[in-house]
Amino acid sequence: MAFTMRRQMARLALLLTLAVVGLGADIRAQRPASEYAVKASFIFNVANFVEWPASAFTSSSAPLKVSVVAAHLENKFAAALQGKAIRGHAVVVEQYTSAERIEGSHVIFVTSDAMSQVRAMLKTADGRPVLTMVEEDAETPGAAVVSMGIVQAKLAFSVNLDAADAAGLQMNPNLLKLAKAVQSSRARTK
């Protein structure tokens, strides 16, 4: 178990390093295919450090649904996650232009071009075990569980542990150590 956790932590650290160094200093300057691949990989790796309650899935082999809310739908995002699994659950990606129609998601990611949908996304996820993620200011945790963005030309993220607790999600402490900021009303984890 400890070996698996170390391997996952090493994989996340490597991905974040490659996202920043290997793809260039500024992700926004990359071609869209690279940008979507980086975002999809980031979501995949963060989700590997989250534990959902058993009640979040209809069975132990049920898929893990990732819903992406974007102003413009992009197949490259789904393609980057095709064939992947998280904790034994095959990843299924669905894309939306409106967060109000989302049902049964385990992860909801709102892209920067659809920030007007954040309030609807939070309402959709309220009281459910959903990992909410937004592309915004990564230095200050927002209302979503994870906020990701570019800080000093590098991919960074912050975590709202209070939002994770309210959703019934367990966040791995190793993930919290990599966060730029952690908001929590419980004892400081960073």
Side-chain angles (χ1 to χ4, degrees):
M1 184 75 155
F3 175 74
T4 303
M5 190 58 65
R6 281 194 306 259
R7 194 169 80 208
Q8 286 179 336
M9 189 65 183
R11 184 173 57 185
L12 179 62
L14 177 62
L15 174 75
L16 291 174
T17 301
L18 289 174
V20 174
V21 177
L23 293 177
D26 190 342
I27 292 172
R28 291 173 291 191
Q30 298 298 310
R31 296 175 315 166
S34 296
E35 181 180 343
Y36 289 110
V38 169
K39 291 175 187 177
S41 294
F42 178 80
I43 290 168
F44 174 77
N45 281 292
V46 167
N48 270 295
F49 285 88
V50 175
E51 212 173 300
W52 282 262
S55 63
F57 299 94
T58 56
S59 72
S60 61
S61 61
L64 185 139
K65 181 179 171 187
V66 176
S67 295
V68 180
V69 181
H72 306 286
L73 303 182
E74 181 55 63
N75 292 333
K76 293 172 185 160
F77 193 97
L81 291 173
Q82 186 175 3
K84 303 236 183 214
I86 296 172
R87 299 184 181 267
H89 300 278
V91 175
V92 175
V93 178
E94 292 186 8
Q95 297 183 63
Y96 300 86
T97 55
S98 171
E100 294 171 349
R101 298 177 30 197
I102 297 174
E103 293 181 11
S105 294
H106 300 94
V107 178
I108 302 176
F109 173 62
V110 178
T111 63
S112 60
D113 65 355
M115 290 306 289
S116 64
Q117 294 295 312
V118 171
R119 178 175 253 139
M121 178 267 292
L122 293 171
K123 184 177 178 181
T124 297
D126 190 35
R128 296 184 177 99
V130 177
L131 174 60
T132 54
M133 302 179 77
V134 294
E135 187 177 12
E136 64 177 359
D137 179 12
E139 293 189 275
T140 308
V145 175
V146 175
S147 299
M148 67 173 271
I150 305 298
V151 176
Q152 296 177 353
K154 295 180 183 178
L155 180 64
F157 67 99
S158 62
V159 176
N160 181 333
L161 204 50
D162 294 331
D165 291 345
L169 303 175
Q170 297 294 315
M171 306 294 285
N172 185 297
N174 291 323
L175 177 69
L176 300 177
K177 290 177 186 176
L178 295 173
K180 188 86 171 153
V182 176
Q183 175 182 317
S184 176
S185 59
R186 56 175 141 145
R188 254 343 242 172
T189 58
K190 205 171 169 194

